[in-house]
Amino acid sequence: VSDTRAGGEFLTAPPALAPRPLDEIDTPALLVDLPALDRNIGRMAAFFQGRAARLRPHAKTHKTPRIAERQMAAGAAGITCAKLDEAEVMLRAGIPSVLVANQIVGPLKTARLARLSRLGELIVAVDSLANAREIDEAAGREGVAVNVIIEVDVGMGRSGSRSVEQTLELAGLVERLPCLRFRGLMGYEGHAVFVADKDERARLAREANALLVSHADRLRDAGLAVEIVSAGGSGTYDTAGLHPGVTEVQAGSYATMDATYRRILPEFECAVTVLATVISRPAADTVVLDCGMKSITRDFTLPEVRDGDGGAEVVRLSEEHTVLRLASGRAPAVGMRVELIPGHGCTTFNLHDVIHAVRDGVVVEVWPVAARGGSR
Amino acid sequence: VSDTRAGGEFLTAPPALAPRPLDEIDTPALLVDLPALDRNIGRMAAFFQGRAARLRPHAKTHKTPRIAERQMAAGAAGITCAKLDEAEVMLRAGIPSVLVANQIVGPLKTARLARLSRLGELIVAVDSLANAREIDEAAGREGVAVNVIIEVDVGMGRSGSRSVEQTLELAGLVERLPCLRFRGLMGYEGHAVFVADKDERARLAREANALLVSHADRLRDAGLAVEIVSAGGSGTYDTAGLHPGVTEVQAGSYATMDATYRRILPEFECAVTVLATVISRPAADTVVLDCGMKSITRDFTLPEVRDGDGGAEVVRLSEEHTVLRLASGRAPAVGMRVELIPGHGCTTFNLHDVIHAVRDGVVVEVWPVAARGGSR
């Protein structure tokens, strides 16, 4: 058994290829519960069934073709990605249409973007004239056409056009450049998706979606064909999915969820956990686990204990340790195992080389988190 | 060019094996400046030159044999690790002595610990009777002896014995078990290492080191040979290194540093950065970079701009974006590159598959971050 990344032979077993019980998997291990995953995918697909807007799930959370394939099988219009590494993995896995909801900038990346355009429908978000021109030139050198949408800042304050005039100028340039195909607009209401109050969240999302659709209307008035109007995240999928004029929704976290999203989206289940082992019990009400910030993140919130209704609570996370405080009399012994729900699923998947897909307590498949590792 | 982890062919180039300029490296990319790294390693080695205590650098930050080899060449007594994956990588790279400063628990891990003990001197920290017994049994099955030190909680409130009586009981058991070799004690003053005030930091460290040495003295009174007394981190290396009775110091971050440590350790240089590209300039004073929490962490502090004395400041980090605010007139154009110093080096290295080792603006080597990926 060899691991070429480390340049040597390893004594550890490779990822399991045959089903095996959880207690044969070493910890920390990233687990995805397959029945819960499939219920989440089915529930979201049912919401979009028969609607004008279609779901194009964001794959930045799981970065894993095997999950994207399940989303496509449930009726998704394609997959959304944040990076070319993710897009390449998805296109090579046979996903027919990929939207990179981000700017792809610089000679190395734009050349790669053009090459990847041969693998399937690839659409990229642009927000500057300079970037539109360099993509056109890279596409010309490669002899391909690249699909472009314009990113609009709908209130998040990050990338994107900040005025209708700017959007018009950009779309006009994209339309004129010979190797670009203008396809539409995107605007992600990232400032709304985590707002705890459901009504306020929906209000912010409607405002953002309306701004995006108003840009689309102005482009149509100017004679441009706006096919795609892409918006929405897991926190706003229902608002964006029902908004007139929105054609695609980019929600992604719903499939596996996390401790942050489960506070605002009770209709989906947490399918992702990190399996850990108790390595120390320094006090009667305190245990230490063998996972920390290097296998489960705390950038949103601390992880939560699955089935932690008995009062088990994460009080501290260091690099390779989690400290749990427990209701008296319930502390597990050294060697026992605990499952933690990540505070933030997206950044937690990104820490792991593989996902252990679990059904009824048995690891039935092991999937590489194919696009992690400081993705480009 | 194939990437076996992802199960398919990739259009991207493999890590460079021949020197190439930075502008041929795609972003985000983890960089280590070799001259700065070597100066840091030399400076720390010089501090320990001729002292009673020796340096056993912690490799959890870089997880990279090529850096550990440089530390050994500068006189280190061995390497400290947090996990068996790290220990295995280091032993296989020829590091002659590795201390795992953590508990190794459960049948899978203890069997692996015993197997790895054949590769070189491997020492593990124990803090419970149950764990001592299971390691002894695993060592017996493998026909090896395992070196053990007792971890003492010296005030951090995480793992470790919390009383002299407990330390005595544990050491006595380790001494009696047939396949364990009692080697000494460790106690990490993690509650002290980041204290900003130098005097207060030193006071807390001295208190912790004194507690640890007092446990060692009691064990010696009981007739036990206490060879190793291991303490210290980068923030307390000088206090621990001078404390009578401390034989080893575990400092690790000093070699590459980060934005958090550079506030309290001006004698070392930041050798690690993440190279990023400007992908958007949504306002005159604002640019967005192509790196985010998936390639540079914010668990301690936000990253800082290298050479950012002109007023460039990171104001926000999302998964794949960094938002920089700039002093007027200095905003770089879309496509330009920026180097960021991570707020926390240890968790940032853990996000990357490879380190680009840079000398005078040229990538001269590419090293795998061999023990990342949800290390076990």
Side-chain angles (χ1 to χ4, degrees):
Chain A
V1 176
S2 74
D3 182 328
T4 54
R5 282 176 311 126
E9 294 279 312
F10 271 61
L11 288 175
T12 41
L17 296 175
R20 52 177 179 170
L22 271 182
D23 60 11
E24 292 182 16
I25 304 294
D26 202 358
T27 59
L30 186 71
L31 309 183
V32 167
D33 186 81
L34 273 181
L37 171 72
D38 287 338
R39 284 192 295 270
N40 287 342
I41 290 173
R43 195 165 289 120
M44 186 63 96
F47 174 85
F48 280 93
Q49 188 72 37
R51 301 212 187 275
R54 295 187 70 189
L55 179 68
R56 184 189 282 273
H58 212 310
K60 72 184 171 77
T61 306
H62 54 68
K63 292 175 177 266
T64 302
R66 305 303 290 272
I67 296 180
E69 288 162 5
R70 294 171 116 88
Q71 294 173 309
M72 292 301 293
I79 291 293
T80 306
C81 292
K83 294 275 186 160
L84 287 184
D85 279 4
E86 294 168 13
E88 178 159 358
V89 161
M90 294 300 158
L91 289 166
R92 289 191 181 281
I95 303 295
S97 176
V98 172
L99 164 63
V100 178
N102 204 347
Q103 286 69 62
I104 298 301
V105 170
L108 297 169
K109 283 191 168 69
T110 51
R112 187 178 172 205
L113 172 70
R115 290 195 300 275
L116 290 176
S117 291
R118 296 190 181 283
L119 300 182
E121 183 180 66
L122 183 56
I123 309 163
V124 67
V126 163
D127 79 346
S128 71
L129 300 168
N131 185 216
R133 288 193 190 98
E134 73 169 343
I135 294 174
D136 176 65
E137 285 160 18
R141 279 190 294 272
E142 189 68 20
V144 297
V146 170
N147 298 287
V148 167
I149 59 177
I150 308 296
E151 179 165 1
V152 176
D153 181 355
V154 292
M156 192 188 182
R158 206 170 59 184
S159 303
S161 159
R162 294 195 176 181
S163 69
V164 170
E165 293 68 33
Q166 199 185 340
T167 304
L168 278 164
E169 185 185 14
L170 266 166
L173 177 68
V174 169
E175 185 77 4
R176 283 193 307 278
L177 288 172
C179 300
L180 302 187
R181 299 283 170 270
F182 176 72
R183 299 290 300 275
L185 301 180
M186 73 157 274
Y188 173 54
E189 63 275 21
H191 57 298
V193 293
F194 293 122
V195 171
D197 183 80
K198 192 172 165 56
D199 293 339
E200 174 64 4
R201 190 165 77 242
R203 190 189 68 72
L204 284 168
R206 273 193 303 272
E207 206 172 80
N209 299 160
L211 177 63
L212 182 66
V213 170
S214 77
H215 281 231
D217 291 342
R218 285 289 297 276
L219 295 184
R220 291 192 184 103
D221 291 347
L224 287 152
V226 183
E227 177 196 345
I228 296 171
V229 179
S230 174
S234 289
T236 57
Y237 75 94
D238 43 1
T239 307
L242 295 173
H243 199 288
V246 170
T247 69
E248 289 190 359
V249 171
Q250 300 180 7
S253 295
Y254 78 91
T256 47
M257 295 290 290
D258 56 31
T260 300
Y261 261 128
R262 83 164 168 174
R263 289 174 201 170
I264 60 175
L265 292 178
E267 65 267 42
F268 295 101
E269 303 168 55
C270 279
V272 59
T273 54
V274 171
L275 182 68
T277 299
V278 175
I279 59 167
S280 177
R281 191 178 167 184
D285 67 345
T286 305
V287 295
V288 182
L289 309 179
D290 67 345
C291 66
M293 294 188 280
K294 285 177 175 165
S295 50
I296 188 164
T297 58
R298 64 169 198 196
D299 51 74
F300 279 179
T301 65
L302 286 173
E304 294 177 2
V305 181
R306 186 182 164 184
D307 311 319
D309 53 337
E313 192 190 359
V314 174
V315 293
R316 179 166 162 188
L317 210 60
S318 40
E319 285 171 44
E320 299 286 10
H321 300 80
T322 294
V323 180
L324 283 190
R325 182 99 1 111
L326 297 116
S328 65
R330 293 179 53 94
V334 168
M336 288 181 68
R337 286 171 164 208
V338 175
E339 280 181 58
L340 298 179
I341 297 170
H344 190 185
C346 305
T347 49
T348 295
F349 277 96
N350 187 55
L351 296 175
H352 291 263
D353 283 340
V354 295
I355 296 168
H356 301 85
V358 176
R359 187 185 301 280
D360 299 328
V362 175
V363 178
V364 292
E365 291 186 51
V366 177
W367 300 330
V369 183
R372 59 140 311 285
S375 275
R376 288 171 183 100
Chain B
V1 177
S2 74
D3 182 326
T4 53
R5 281 176 313 128
E9 293 280 311
F10 271 59
L11 288 175
T12 42
L17 296 175
R20 52 178 179 170
L22 270 182
D23 60 12
E24 292 182 17
I25 304 294
D26 202 359
T27 59
L30 186 71
L31 309 183
V32 167
D33 185 81
L34 272 182
L37 171 72
D38 287 338
R39 284 192 295 271
N40 286 342
I41 290 172
R43 195 166 289 119
M44 186 64 96
F47 174 84
F48 281 94
Q49 188 71 38
R51 300 211 189 276
R54 295 188 70 189
L55 179 67
R56 184 190 282 273
H58 212 309
K60 72 185 171 76
T61 306
H62 53 68
K63 292 175 176 266
T64 301
R66 304 303 291 272
I67 297 180
E69 288 162 4
R70 293 172 118 87
Q71 294 173 311
M72 292 301 293
I79 291 293
T80 305
C81 292
K83 294 274 189 163
L84 286 183
D85 279 4
E86 294 168 13
E88 178 158 357
V89 161
M90 294 300 158
L91 288 166
R92 288 190 180 284
I95 303 294
S97 176
V98 172
L99 165 63
V100 178
N102 203 347
Q103 286 68 62
I104 298 301
V105 169
L108 297 170
K109 283 191 170 67
T110 51
R112 187 177 172 206
L113 172 71
R115 290 196 299 276
L116 290 175
S117 292
R118 295 190 181 285
L119 300 181
E121 183 180 67
L122 183 55
I123 309 163
V124 66
V126 163
D127 79 347
S128 70
L129 300 168
N131 186 217
R133 287 193 191 97
E134 73 169 343
I135 293 174
D136 176 66
E137 286 160 17
R141 279 190 293 274
E142 189 68 19
V144 297
V146 170
N147 298 287
V148 167
I149 60 177
I150 308 297
E151 181 166 359
V152 176
D153 180 355
V154 292
M156 192 188 182
R158 205 169 60 184
S159 303
S161 159
R162 294 194 176 180
S163 69
V164 170
E165 293 66 34
Q166 199 184 341
T167 305
L168 278 164
E169 185 185 12
L170 265 166
L173 177 68
V174 169
E175 185 77 5
R176 283 194 306 277
L177 288 172
C179 299
L180 302 186
R181 297 283 170 270
F182 176 73
R183 299 291 299 274
L185 301 180
M186 71 158 276
Y188 173 53
E189 63 274 20
H191 57 297
V193 293
F194 293 122
V195 171
D197 182 80
K198 192 171 164 54
D199 293 339
E200 174 64 4
R201 190 163 78 244
R203 190 189 68 73
L204 283 167
R206 273 194 302 271
E207 205 172 82
N209 298 160
L211 177 62
L212 182 66
V213 170
S214 77
H215 281 230
D217 291 342
R218 285 288 297 274
L219 294 184
R220 292 192 183 104
D221 290 347
L224 286 151
V226 183
E227 177 194 347
I228 295 172
V229 179
S230 175
S234 289
T236 57
Y237 75 93
D238 44 0
T239 307
L242 295 173
H243 199 287
V246 170
T247 70
E248 290 191 359
V249 171
Q250 300 180 7
S253 296
Y254 77 91
T256 48
M257 295 290 290
D258 56 32
T260 301
Y261 260 127
R262 83 165 166 175
R263 290 174 200 168
I264 59 175
L265 291 179
E267 64 267 42
F268 295 101
E269 303 169 55
C270 279
V272 60
T273 55
V274 171
L275 182 68
T277 299
V278 175
I279 59 167
S280 178
R281 191 180 167 182
D285 67 343
T286 304
V287 295
V288 181
L289 309 179
D290 68 345
C291 66
M293 293 188 281
K294 285 177 175 166
S295 50
I296 188 164
T297 58
R298 65 171 197 195
D299 52 73
F300 277 178
T301 65
L302 286 172
E304 293 177 3
V305 181
R306 186 182 163 184
D307 311 319
D309 52 337
E313 192 189 359
V314 174
V315 293
R316 180 167 159 188
L317 210 61
S318 40
E319 285 171 45
E320 299 286 11
H321 300 79
T322 294
V323 180
L324 283 191
R325 182 99 359 110
L326 296 115
S328 65
R330 295 179 52 93
V334 168
M336 288 180 67
R337 287 173 162 206
V338 175
E339 279 181 60
L340 298 179
I341 297 170
H344 190 184
C346 305
T347 49
T348 296
F349 277 96
N350 186 55
L351 296 175
H352 290 264
D353 282 339
V354 296
I355 295 167
H356 300 85
V358 177
R359 186 185 302 280
D360 299 329
V362 175
V363 178
V364 292
E365 291 186 51
V366 177
W367 300 329
V369 183
R372 59 140 309 286
S375 276
R376 290 173 181 96

